[in-house]
Amino acid sequence: MTIEKIETPTGSVIHTQIIRGTVISINTRTEFTTKRDSDTYIGNGKMLPGQVYNEASTVRDIWLRTDDAKEMKLPFGGLGLAMRDGHSVAFIYAKDHKGEPRCLASKNFTTGESIVSTENSVRIAGESVSNPPKLPMGAWVQVPTMLVVSYFATLIETKGGFSFGVFFFSIVCCLFVMATLSVIRHNSRNKRAGGEAAEILRGRVEALPAP
């Protein structure tokens, strides 16, 4: 099991691990999870109970004999990589902020197929960005601008008068807009970091030498 570090131009630092070995067995099973929709308010103090249902998901139990001759069960499904008993495979994974392993890339040396998960890369890279997204303008510009905009919005709304209530409401609206823009920038940055990580992973998984 090898540990490697991935650093993206956006600022993500991902510590990945590589598991290599030979497939011993693969078992596919179905897991059922009970879920319940939220209640619906229908008026007059009455609630319509949410529907209860079972959601099925397919789980693959993959057992490997690793290069150090140990047997282990993979803690993830391998991104759906096609494999069968006796195939030589490798998996690159990293742990999320909860400590759960997420498979980022996988390769079957016997068939030559490889898979990279952009979705998992975005999740892990977004959590590991070292610096928060920078605002397009500093607080020393944004705060006065917000106050000036709120002041003129108050004058327009009150037709030349002034109301602290309207002024406060305008400030709240400005803060909401700023928060929304921050979330958009944050998500955009995470997707960019994930895309960069996926490209690095694609190169690394393709470059893995055959056993």
Side-chain angles (χ1 to χ4, degrees), residues 144-163:
T145 301
M146 178 184 66
L147 294 176
V148 170
V149 170
S150 299
Y151 175 75
F152 281 103
T154 302
L155 293 180
I156 294 174
E157 183 66 24
T158 58
K159 298 180 180 180
F162 187 83
S163 168

mmCIF file of all heavy atoms in Angstrom, residues 144-163:
data_model
loop_
_atom_site.group_PDB
_atom_site.id
_atom_site.type_symbol
_atom_site.label_atom_id
_atom_site.label_comp_id
_atom_site.label_asym_id
_atom_site.label_seq_id
_atom_site.Cartn_x
_atom_site.Cartn_y
_atom_site.Cartn_z
ATOM 1 N N PRO A 144 -18.142 49.320 2.659
ATOM 2 C CA PRO A 144 -18.645 50.659 2.320
ATOM 3 C C PRO A 144 -19.587 50.657 1.119
ATOM 4 O O PRO A 144 -20.582 51.388 1.106
ATOM 5 C CB PRO A 144 -17.367 51.453 2.012
ATOM 6 C CG PRO A 144 -16.291 50.741 2.743
ATOM 7 C CD PRO A 144 -16.672 49.297 2.659
ATOM 8 N N THR A 145 -19.276 49.826 0.111
ATOM 9 C CA THR A 145 -20.140 49.746 -1.060
ATOM 10 C C THR A 145 -21.522 49.256 -0.678
ATOM 11 O O THR A 145 -22.543 49.783 -1.145
ATOM 12 C CB THR A 145 -19.529 48.811 -2.117
ATOM 13 O OG1 THR A 145 -18.241 49.299 -2.503
ATOM 14 C CG2 THR A 145 -20.422 48.712 -3.340
ATOM 15 N N MET A 146 -21.574 48.248 0.200
ATOM 16 C CA MET A 146 -22.854 47.708 0.653
ATOM 17 C C MET A 146 -23.651 48.776 1.400
ATOM 18 O O MET A 146 -24.871 48.916 1.201
ATOM 19 C CB MET A 146 -22.617 46.508 1.571
ATOM 20 C CG MET A 146 -23.884 45.881 2.140
ATOM 21 S SD MET A 146 -23.524 44.551 3.301
ATOM 22 C CE MET A 146 -22.739 45.480 4.639
ATOM 23 N N LEU A 147 -22.981 49.566 2.242
ATOM 24 C CA LEU A 147 -23.677 50.601 3.006
ATOM 25 C C LEU A 147 -24.215 51.701 2.088
ATOM 26 O O LEU A 147 -25.334 52.192 2.270
ATOM 27 C CB LEU A 147 -22.733 51.196 4.051
ATOM 28 C CG LEU A 147 -22.299 50.242 5.174
ATOM 29 C CD1 LEU A 147 -21.280 50.927 6.080
ATOM 30 C CD2 LEU A 147 -23.499 49.780 5.987
ATOM 31 N N VAL A 148 -23.398 52.082 1.089
ATOM 32 C CA VAL A 148 -23.828 53.135 0.160
ATOM 33 C C VAL A 148 -25.017 52.659 -0.670
ATOM 34 O O VAL A 148 -26.009 53.383 -0.862
ATOM 35 C CB VAL A 148 -22.657 53.552 -0.761
ATOM 36 C CG1 VAL A 148 -23.161 54.468 -1.874
ATOM 37 C CG2 VAL A 148 -21.576 54.252 0.042
ATOM 38 N N VAL A 149 -24.933 51.417 -1.173
ATOM 39 C CA VAL A 149 -26.036 50.865 -1.970
ATOM 40 C C VAL A 149 -27.300 50.791 -1.119
ATOM 41 O O VAL A 149 -28.406 51.133 -1.577
ATOM 42 C CB VAL A 149 -25.662 49.480 -2.508
ATOM 43 C CG1 VAL A 149 -26.878 48.796 -3.119
ATOM 44 C CG2 VAL A 149 -24.556 49.586 -3.559
ATOM 45 N N SER A 150 -27.165 50.347 0.128
ATOM 46 C CA SER A 150 -28.325 50.241 1.019
ATOM 47 C C SER A 150 -28.923 51.617 1.308
ATOM 48 O O SER A 150 -30.152 51.776 1.369
ATOM 49 C CB SER A 150 -27.916 49.560 2.331
ATOM 50 O OG SER A 150 -27.443 48.249 2.112
ATOM 51 N N TYR A 151 -28.053 52.618 1.457
ATOM 52 C CA TYR A 151 -28.531 53.970 1.754
ATOM 53 C C TYR A 151 -29.347 54.519 0.587
ATOM 54 O O TYR A 151 -30.472 55.021 0.783
ATOM 55 C CB TYR A 151 -27.340 54.886 2.045
ATOM 56 C CG TYR A 151 -27.723 56.323 2.247
ATOM 57 C CD1 TYR A 151 -28.327 56.750 3.437
ATOM 58 C CD2 TYR A 151 -27.498 57.272 1.253
ATOM 59 C CE1 TYR A 151 -28.680 58.077 3.621
ATOM 60 C CE2 TYR A 151 -27.852 58.591 1.420
ATOM 61 C CZ TYR A 151 -28.446 58.989 2.605
ATOM 62 O OH TYR A 151 -28.804 60.304 2.782
ATOM 63 N N PHE A 152 -28.812 54.406 -0.640
ATOM 64 C CA PHE A 152 -29.545 54.937 -1.789
ATOM 65 C C PHE A 152 -30.797 54.115 -2.077
ATOM 66 O O PHE A 152 -31.815 54.660 -2.519
ATOM 67 C CB PHE A 152 -28.628 54.978 -3.023
ATOM 68 C CG PHE A 152 -27.689 56.143 -3.034
ATOM 69 C CD1 PHE A 152 -26.356 55.989 -2.709
ATOM 70 C CD2 PHE A 152 -28.153 57.425 -3.345
ATOM 71 C CE1 PHE A 152 -25.489 57.071 -2.708
ATOM 72 C CE2 PHE A 152 -27.287 58.515 -3.355
ATOM 73 C CZ PHE A 152 -25.952 58.337 -3.023
ATOM 74 N N ALA A 153 -30.738 52.797 -1.823
ATOM 75 C CA ALA A 153 -31.928 51.973 -1.990
ATOM 76 C C ALA A 153 -33.017 52.405 -1.012
ATOM 77 O O ALA A 153 -34.214 52.418 -1.350
ATOM 78 C CB ALA A 153 -31.588 50.496 -1.775
ATOM 79 N N THR A 154 -32.611 52.810 0.177
ATOM 80 C CA THR A 154 -33.575 53.294 1.180
ATOM 81 C C THR A 154 -34.207 54.604 0.743
ATOM 82 O O THR A 154 -35.424 54.811 0.872
ATOM 83 C CB THR A 154 -32.886 53.473 2.537
ATOM 84 O OG1 THR A 154 -32.304 52.231 2.941
ATOM 85 C CG2 THR A 154 -33.880 53.925 3.596
ATOM 86 N N LEU A 155 -33.375 55.502 0.201
ATOM 87 C CA LEU A 155 -33.901 56.790 -0.266
ATOM 88 C C LEU A 155 -34.898 56.592 -1.409
ATOM 89 O O LEU A 155 -35.931 57.265 -1.466
ATOM 90 C CB LEU A 155 -32.747 57.691 -0.730
ATOM 91 C CG LEU A 155 -31.771 58.167 0.356
ATOM 92 C CD1 LEU A 155 -30.692 59.040 -0.262
ATOM 93 C CD2 LEU A 155 -32.515 58.930 1.454
ATOM 94 N N ILE A 156 -34.568 55.662 -2.311
ATOM 95 C CA ILE A 156 -35.477 55.396 -3.434
ATOM 96 C C ILE A 156 -36.782 54.800 -2.936
ATOM 97 O O ILE A 156 -37.878 55.171 -3.372
ATOM 98 C CB ILE A 156 -34.798 54.465 -4.458
ATOM 99 C CG1 ILE A 156 -33.603 55.170 -5.117
ATOM 100 C CG2 ILE A 156 -35.800 54.025 -5.525
ATOM 101 C CD1 ILE A 156 -32.788 54.277 -6.025
ATOM 102 N N GLU A 157 -36.674 53.848 -1.996
ATOM 103 C CA GLU A 157 -37.863 53.166 -1.494
ATOM 104 C C GLU A 157 -38.762 54.120 -0.704
ATOM 105 O O GLU A 157 -39.999 54.020 -0.763
ATOM 106 C CB GLU A 157 -37.447 51.981 -0.616
ATOM 107 C CG GLU A 157 -38.590 51.147 -0.083
ATOM 108 C CD GLU A 157 -39.329 50.413 -1.175
ATOM 109 O OE1 GLU A 157 -38.724 50.164 -2.254
ATOM 110 O OE2 GLU A 157 -40.523 50.092 -0.970
ATOM 111 N N THR A 158 -38.139 55.023 0.036
ATOM 112 C CA THR A 158 -38.925 55.950 0.878
ATOM 113 C C THR A 158 -39.194 57.288 0.168
ATOM 114 O O THR A 158 -39.688 58.231 0.802
ATOM 115 C CB THR A 158 -38.187 56.212 2.198
ATOM 116 O OG1 THR A 158 -36.876 56.745 1.924
ATOM 117 C CG2 THR A 158 -38.050 54.932 3.006
ATOM 118 N N LYS A 159 -38.809 57.350 -1.121
ATOM 119 C CA LYS A 159 -39.042 58.561 -1.937
ATOM 120 C C LYS A 159 -38.419 59.804 -1.316
ATOM 121 O O LYS A 159 -39.055 60.837 -1.126
ATOM 122 C CB LYS A 159 -40.548 58.765 -2.147
ATOM 123 C CG LYS A 159 -41.201 57.630 -2.910
ATOM 124 C CD LYS A 159 -42.679 57.858 -3.114
ATOM 125 C CE LYS A 159 -43.318 56.708 -3.876
ATOM 126 N NZ LYS A 159 -44.775 56.915 -4.089
ATOM 127 N N GLY A 160 -37.135 59.681 -0.992
ATOM 128 C CA GLY A 160 -36.392 60.823 -0.480
ATOM 129 C C GLY A 160 -36.310 60.882 1.027
ATOM 130 O O GLY A 160 -35.505 61.635 1.581
ATOM 131 N N GLY A 161 -37.109 60.118 1.718
ATOM 132 C CA GLY A 161 -37.045 60.089 3.173
ATOM 133 C C GLY A 161 -36.005 59.082 3.631
ATOM 134 O O GLY A 161 -35.149 58.640 2.872
ATOM 135 N N PHE A 162 -36.083 58.705 4.897
ATOM 136 C CA PHE A 162 -35.145 57.710 5.409
ATOM 137 C C PHE A 162 -35.836 56.886 6.480
ATOM 138 O O PHE A 162 -36.563 57.423 7.328
ATOM 139 C CB PHE A 162 -33.891 58.366 5.990
ATOM 140 C CG PHE A 162 -32.830 57.366 6.366
ATOM 141 C CD1 PHE A 162 -31.958 56.861 5.415
ATOM 142 C CD2 PHE A 162 -32.714 56.923 7.675
ATOM 143 C CE1 PHE A 162 -30.982 55.940 5.760
ATOM 144 C CE2 PHE A 162 -31.749 55.998 8.026
ATOM 145 C CZ PHE A 162 -30.876 55.509 7.069
ATOM 146 N N SER A 163 -35.610 55.588 6.437
ATOM 147 C CA SER A 163 -36.189 54.670 7.408
ATOM 148 C C SER A 163 -35.125 53.654 7.798
ATOM 149 O O SER A 163 -34.549 52.994 6.941
ATOM 150 C CB SER A 163 -37.415 53.960 6.826
ATOM 151 O OG SER A 163 -37.816 52.879 7.668
#
